């Protein structure tokens, strides 16, 4: 079957737009093909700085013929209705229509036959529409036509369109159409400087090969591989090691069509500036990679650049130009860094009084004070020194006002650590200045120093409580204040560091701090959770109790539960086990929930666990049926005097022992021991169902007593989880 080759050749497309544009082109063309009945075999899109390209292979040469029936008016309908029917169906007279018998009357049926069109004609119709409606984030008009209504908008001036269609064994045809005066043809162009002449192409294989000869590597992944391989080899040859940067690699691959890797250098004195600042300077300003000395792990005074041309002088002029710019930028960065060192972090804090964090949550200075108080309260709970945690919270945001962070926002926190160490702060305090933002994503590291943990938790809790109180919650895919990230960050911190923390108690402390700050908007939100205004003379304990209840009413508990479920499922935990643990309610110690899920999973992988689950499910099913039949529950303790069989007595005894043992183990947070206790139920449960008839038709009291015993099985297992939520 025929293949399509489409290329849209333009001025340079911004690198950040290329990947999505290629995906959009593939999606838009293939969706239209399918909608037109042209089901293809495969498609692949490409992007370089000056072109979007698409190949679609295995397209039928012609649309299938379509036959549809259209129901018309009743026999004897007014002539106007009949004429409208004939016109819509293309029938010459009613004699060409069929008659359909119906209880409501007989109707005319028109058979409409629509012959399929040649695929090349369909393409000539749909491709101009796709080009004109292409979803660029930003587009422009240009040239003499730009002032006319309906002129083409494109990301950059569009110069040529290549569109061919045909069988692999035959000369393809040009898909004939034009867009804004640009006629589709089979002419493209190679590298702007190395091979600028026009190139005539036929199909994709021919197109890709000729572009390569014309110094254009069409596939972005191939360009990335070439850049990475050459950069590593060049660094190794000079005794260095490339500092890899995937985001930079993606961007650079979108800036060149013929990547040529070169190495430049800068003065060694710039290495006195922090390595992260050097890297940010070179990366942001010149899109270059840095290298390090593998022996010391420190940056070397070299950088790697990617040119888009094979220079006749071996790249000397290109290297010199980049060195000149980088030298100037590093000089600026060094000046910013040395200037910042002259002012202590705490001396910058008064400026925060004029900086609004959020219009309803107050200034950044007010937020820092809240985080200080909260970090001091959290510190003893996570094993941190209170004074150090308070000091770290006091200084943690100060680097936001420094020159370096103003120039390179991505090094916020990190520069706070450097400046804190430079002014003689404790190492834990300095580390917390950097780590209180962490983790910022699933791949980011988790702080482990107790001081960092205390400040990181305080920062995230203050954010969650504040935005929750003013009703700025995440909705669907929108989360402008990164509250999901804050919650997941807290979960990772607590679980990774094995910290057992009653979450709602900590939230209550944060809520009280907000209340005492006098923030009217937050207080109003909290009062809405609680359901009534603040009561004068109420004790602190009573206030905290109501606040905890209010947090449940606000949905914050459910929000955290959902985030933990997501985290556990991503780590491979079964969703039904997570649900079984959460179904117990009152779960606010995230570490204990995780441990309980892990222990439950191991238990259910054993024979004892599988059989006990089956027995518990059987008990629950019988109870559900009988409770529905009798319209009552079978709560309450069974009457031991009504036990007539040894299996009943053995089960009742085992339940009593297991309940006590499992509850004691859970209280000690030893969930493995709790599961071991549960395993002891398996033999008496198996024996009970093997020998005992639950629904005793002769004695209603015995039947009720046995159903209560089944309820005791269900109650005993709920010491560790709700087994009814677990799938077989």
């Amino acid at each position: 079957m025929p293949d399509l080759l489409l290329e849209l050749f333009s001025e340079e497309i911004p690198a950040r737009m290329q990947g999505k544009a290629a995906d959009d082109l593939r999606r838009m063309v293939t969706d239209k093909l399918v909608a037109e009945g042209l089901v293809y075999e495969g498609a692949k899109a490409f992007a370089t700085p000056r072109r979007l390209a698409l190949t679609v292979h295995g397209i039928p040469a012609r649309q299938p013929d379509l036959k549809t029936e259209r129901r018309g008016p009743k026999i004897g309908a007014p002539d106007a209705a009949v004429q409208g029917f004939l016109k819509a169906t293309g029938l010459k007279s009613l004699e060409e229509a069929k008659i359909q018998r119906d209880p409501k009357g007989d109707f005319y049926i028109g058979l409409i036959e629509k012959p399929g069109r040649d695929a090349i004609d369909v393409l000539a119709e749909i491709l101009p529409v796709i080009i004109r409606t292409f979803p660029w984030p930003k587009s422009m008009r240009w040239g003499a036509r730009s002032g006319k209504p309906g002129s083409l908008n494109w990301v950059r001036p569009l110069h040529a369109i290549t569109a061919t269609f045909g069988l692999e064994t035959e000369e393809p045809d040009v898909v004939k159409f034009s867009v804004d005066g640009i006629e589709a043809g089979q002419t493209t162009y190679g590298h702007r400087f190395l091979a600028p002449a026009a190139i005539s192409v036929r199909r994709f294989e021919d197109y890709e090969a000729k572009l390569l000869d014309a110094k254009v590597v069409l596939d972005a992944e191939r360009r990335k591989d070439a850049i990475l391989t050459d950069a590593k080899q060049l660094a190794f040859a000079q005794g260095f090691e490339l500092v890899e940067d995937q985001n930079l690699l993606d961007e650079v691959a979108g800036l060149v069509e013929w990547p040529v890797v070169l190495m430049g250098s800068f003065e060694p004195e710039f290495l006195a500036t922090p390595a992260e600042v050097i890297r940010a300077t070179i990366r942001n300003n010149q899109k270059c990679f840095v290298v390090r000395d593998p022996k010391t792990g420190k940056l070397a005074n070299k950088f790697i650049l990617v040119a888009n041309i094979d220079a006749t002088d071996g790249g000397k002029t290109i290297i010199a130009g980049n060195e000149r710019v980088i030298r100037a930028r590093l000089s600026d960065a060094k000046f910013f860094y040395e200037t910042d060192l002259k002012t202590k972090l705490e001396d910058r804090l008064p400026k925060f009084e004029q900086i609004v964090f959020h219009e309803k949550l107050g200034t950044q200075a007010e937020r820092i004070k809240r985080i200080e108080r909260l970090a001091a309260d959290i510190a003893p709970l996570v094993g941190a020194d209170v004074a150090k945690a308070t000091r770290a919270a006091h200084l943690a945001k100060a680097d936001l006002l420094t020159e370096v962070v103003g120039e390179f926002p991505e090094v916020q926190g990190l520069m706070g650590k450097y400046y804190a160490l430079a002014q003689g702060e404790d190492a834990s305090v300095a580390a917390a200045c950097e780590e209180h933002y962490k983790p910022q994503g699933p791949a980011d590291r988790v702080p482990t120093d107790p001081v960092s943990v205390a400040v990181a938790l305080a920062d995230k809790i203050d954010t969650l409580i504040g935005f929750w109180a003013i009703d700025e919650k995440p909705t669907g895919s929108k989360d402008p204040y990164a509250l999901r990230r804050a919650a997941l960050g807290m979960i990772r911190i607590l679980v990774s560091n094995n910290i057992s923390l009653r979450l709602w108690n900590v939230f209550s402390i944060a809520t009280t701090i907000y209340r005492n700050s006098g923030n009217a908007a937050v207080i109003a939100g909290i009062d809405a959770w609680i359901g009534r205004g603040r009561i004068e003379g109420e004790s602190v304990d009573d206030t905290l109790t109501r606040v905890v209840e209010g947090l449940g009413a606000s949905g914050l508990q459910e929000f955290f539960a959902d985030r933990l479920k997501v985290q556990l499922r991503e780590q491979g935990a079964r969703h039904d086990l997570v649900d079984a643990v959460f179904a117990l309610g009152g779960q606010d110690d995230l570490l204990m929930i995780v441990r309980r899920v892990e222990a439950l999973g191991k238990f259910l992988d054993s024979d004892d666990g599988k059989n006990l689950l089956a027995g518990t499910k059987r008990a629950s099913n019988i109870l559900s049926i009988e409770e529905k039949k009798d319209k009552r529950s079978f709560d309450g303790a069974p009457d031991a005097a009504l036990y007539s069989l040894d299996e009943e007595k053995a089960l009742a005894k085992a339940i009593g022992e297991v309940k006590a043992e499992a509850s004691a183990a859970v209280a000690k947070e030893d969930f493995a021991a709790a599961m071991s206790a549960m395993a002891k139920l398996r033999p008496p449960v198996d024996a009970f169902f093997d020998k005992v008839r639950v629904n005793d038709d002769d004695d209603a009291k015995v039947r009720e007593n046995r159903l209560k015993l089944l309820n005791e099985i269900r109650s005993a297992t709920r010491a560790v989880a709700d087994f009814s939520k677990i799938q077989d």
Side-chain angles (χ1 to χ4, degrees):
M1 287 191 286
D3 300 337
L4 168 69
L5 167 64
L6 175 66
E7 184 202 66
L8 304 171
F9 181 80
S10 69
E11 296 293 335
E12 275 72 6
I13 304 168
R16 67 182 184 280
M17 298 183 186
Q18 292 172 18
K20 183 178 184 302
D23 289 340
D24 285 339
L25 182 63
R26 178 189 52 78
R27 173 184 54 80
M28 294 174 76
V29 172
T30 55
D31 285 355
K32 281 285 189 182
L33 287 173
V34 173
E36 294 289 343
L38 297 169
V39 180
Y40 62 97
E41 293 178 359
K44 188 171 183 181
F46 304 88
T48 80
R50 296 205 297 161
R51 72 200 76 224
L52 290 181
L54 173 70
T55 175
V56 185
H57 63 272
I59 302 174
R62 186 177 177 82
Q63 286 178 312
D65 296 337
L66 296 177
K67 294 182 179 181
T68 58
E69 289 186 346
R70 178 162 180 166
R71 182 169 174 169
K74 287 183 180 181
I75 294 177
D79 185 62
V82 171
Q83 293 303 317
F85 168 65
L86 292 175
K87 184 177 180 181
T89 56
L91 301 179
K92 296 178 180 178
S93 68
L94 290 177
E95 293 178 357
E96 297 180 1
K98 296 192 300 183
I99 295 176
Q100 185 180 69
R101 307 295 179 184
D102 192 278
K104 296 181 180 180
D106 296 340
F107 291 84
Y108 291 111
I109 298 294
L111 180 63
I112 303 173
E113 296 187 12
K114 183 181 179 182
R117 294 187 295 160
D118 289 338
I120 194 168
D121 294 332
V122 176
L123 288 167
E125 182 180 285
I126 66 175
L127 292 180
V129 176
I130 291 171
I131 293 170
R132 287 191 173 277
T133 59
F134 201 81
W136 291 108
K138 291 183 179 181
S139 57
M140 61 185 292
R141 294 182 295 174
W142 62 93
R145 295 176 178 271
S146 63
K148 297 180 180 180
S151 61
L152 177 65
N153 280 348
W154 200 247
V155 62
R156 293 292 186 271
L158 185 64
H159 292 315
I161 301 173
T162 299
T164 66
F165 182 73
L167 293 169
E168 184 178 350
T169 56
E170 299 177 0
E171 186 69 20
D173 295 317
V174 172
V175 183
K176 295 182 179 179
F177 67 90
S178 67
V179 178
D180 220 34
I182 304 171
E183 296 281 346
Q186 51 189 127
T187 300
T188 187
Y189 301 87
H191 192 282
R192 180 185 291 276
F193 305 111
L194 301 177
I199 304 170
S200 179
V201 297
R202 299 190 303 275
R203 55 181 52 84
F204 177 72
E205 291 76 12
D206 169 62
Y207 165 78
E208 186 178 30
K210 286 184 175 179
L211 280 183
L212 190 60
D213 289 340
K215 306 298 184 182
V216 174
V217 179
L218 182 64
D219 191 340
E221 292 303 317
R222 186 174 172 183
R223 296 198 300 273
K224 291 178 192 177
D225 290 343
I227 292 169
L228 185 59
T229 300
D230 291 351
K232 285 182 174 180
Q233 290 178 350
L234 181 56
F236 179 76
Q238 298 292 324
F240 302 117
E241 182 178 73
L242 178 72
V243 177
E244 295 187 36
D245 187 330
Q246 185 61 50
N247 291 333
L248 179 59
L249 179 62
D250 293 342
E251 184 176 6
V252 170
L255 297 174
V256 297
E257 290 188 321
W258 187 252
V260 177
V261 175
L262 303 168
M263 179 179 283
S265 62
F266 55 87
E267 286 70 18
E269 56 262 30
F270 289 125
L271 293 175
T273 307
E276 294 81 1
V277 177
I278 295 174
R279 183 178 178 184
T281 301
I282 293 175
R283 182 192 196 282
N284 294 2
N285 290 292
Q286 287 302 102
K287 312 302 179 189
C288 295
F289 298 86
V290 295
V291 299
R292 61 184 162 225
D293 184 338
K295 297 177 182 177
T296 63
K298 295 181 179 181
L299 289 190
N301 63 319
K302 302 284 184 179
F303 63 89
I304 288 180
L305 64 98
V306 181
N308 190 34
I309 187 172
D310 276 322
T312 55
D313 64 354
K316 292 180 181 179
T317 302
I318 296 173
I319 293 171
N322 278 269
E323 287 179 340
R324 186 165 55 252
V325 175
I326 284 177
R327 186 179 301 114
R329 295 293 179 263
L330 287 177
S331 180
D332 290 342
K334 183 172 182 289
F335 173 77
F336 292 151
Y337 176 63
E338 292 173 350
T339 300
D340 287 339
L341 288 174
K342 295 175 183 177
T343 304
K344 287 192 172 183
L345 290 173
E346 59 263 44
D347 292 340
R348 301 178 183 275
L349 296 177
K351 290 184 180 179
F352 280 131
E353 294 175 3
Q354 282 77 48
I355 299 175
V356 175
F357 170 65
H358 186 279
E359 60 179 352
K360 293 183 179 180
L361 299 179
T363 65
Q364 187 71 275
E366 291 171 332
R367 182 167 186 256
I368 290 171
K369 290 178 181 177
R370 293 194 303 268
I371 295 174
E372 284 182 51
R373 298 188 190 106
L374 187 53
D377 287 326
I378 292 176
L381 304 178
V382 298
D385 181 274
V386 174
K388 291 180 182 179
T390 304
R391 178 65 175 171
H394 182 66
L395 299 176
K397 304 292 183 185
D399 71 333
L400 295 175
L401 298 175
T402 62
E403 298 288 343
V404 169
V405 175
E407 185 74 14
F408 307 110
E410 64 268 31
V411 296
Q412 68 179 32
L414 177 66
M415 296 312 300
K417 179 184 76 172
Y418 284 130
Y419 296 141
L421 289 173
Q423 69 183 42
E425 298 291 340
D426 181 87
S428 292
V429 172
C433 290
E434 176 191 9
E435 295 178 341
H436 78 284
Y437 291 110
K438 297 182 177 296
Q440 293 185 309
D444 197 11
R445 64 184 176 88
V446 175
T448 56
D449 185 283
V451 174
S452 297
V453 168
V455 181
L457 290 174
D459 182 47
K460 293 168 176 57
I461 291 170
D462 178 83
T463 299
L464 285 163
I465 293 294
F467 283 109
W468 219 264
I470 61 174
D471 202 27
E472 291 284 358
K473 306 171 187 175
T475 56
S477 60
K478 295 183 179 180
D479 186 12
Y481 302 109
L483 302 185
R484 291 189 182 94
R485 186 174 70 186
L488 286 170
M490 288 182 60
I491 291 169
R492 287 188 61 201
I493 288 171
L494 294 173
V495 174
S496 298
N497 289 291
N498 291 314
I499 296 173
S500 180
L501 193 69
R502 297 298 301 272
L503 203 58
W504 313 134
N505 288 346
V506 179
F507 280 175
S508 298
I509 295 171
T511 306
T512 301
I513 291 171
Y514 256 114
R515 278 181 166 276
N516 292 338
S517 71
N519 187 303
V522 177
I523 290 174
I526 295 169
D527 286 345
W529 301 345
I530 297 170
R532 62 181 186 273
R534 189 173 186 180
I535 300 173
E536 292 294 332
E538 184 178 47
S539 70
V540 173
D541 289 342
D542 289 342
T543 298
L544 289 179
T545 298
R546 288 197 298 106
V547 167
V548 172
E549 294 171 356
L551 287 170
S554 74
L556 188 55
Q557 292 186 18
E558 293 181 5
F559 176 74
F560 253 85
D562 289 342
R563 302 282 72 73
L564 181 56
K565 288 180 183 179
V566 169
Q567 179 78 5
L568 289 173
R569 288 169 187 167
E570 288 179 351
Q571 293 175 355
R574 285 170 45 183
H575 68 87
D576 55 330
L577 303 191
V578 177
D579 291 338
V581 171
F582 270 104
L584 299 179
Q587 306 293 308
D588 69 342
D589 188 327
L590 303 180
L591 179 63
M592 293 303 103
I593 293 171
V594 172
R595 287 181 175 173
R596 192 183 292 237
V597 169
E598 291 173 349
L600 181 59
K602 291 179 181 178
F603 176 58
L604 292 176
D605 285 339
S606 68
D607 289 338
D608 284 341
K610 292 173 184 175
N611 288 321
L612 179 59
L613 174 62
T616 304
K617 290 256 186 180
R618 185 175 177 184
S620 294
N621 291 337
I622 294 172
L623 277 169
S624 297
I625 294 170
E626 300 308 315
E627 286 172 345
K628 186 176 181 180
K629 183 192 299 183
D630 293 6
K631 296 181 179 179
R632 56 159 292 191
S633 60
F634 293 94
D635 299 325
D639 185 352
L642 294 175
Y643 296 148
S644 59
L645 300 175
D646 291 341
E647 288 78 9
E648 291 177 282
K649 298 174 184 177
L651 178 58
K653 181 181 178 183
I655 288 173
E657 293 174 352
V658 166
K659 261 189 176 181
E661 190 175 340
S663 296
V666 168
K668 295 177 182 177
E669 301 174 355
D670 187 349
F671 299 111
M675 299 302 166
S676 297
M678 285 287 117
K680 297 177 182 178
L681 276 179
R682 177 197 166 181
V685 167
D686 290 347
F688 178 86
F689 282 118
D690 187 45
K691 300 293 184 180
V692 178
R693 183 181 179 185
V694 176
N695 287 313
D696 192 316
D697 297 330
D698 299 327
D699 192 330
K701 288 186 177 180
V702 170
R703 170 181 175 272
E704 178 180 348
N705 203 58
R706 288 174 178 172
L707 289 171
K708 286 184 176 181
L709 191 55
L710 291 187
N711 190 59
E712 288 291 290
I713 297 175
R714 187 166 62 181
S715 175
T717 55
R718 284 185 66 86
V720 292
D722 184 347
F723 275 48
S724 68
K725 301 289 185 183
I726 302 174
Q727 297 177 1
D728 295 334

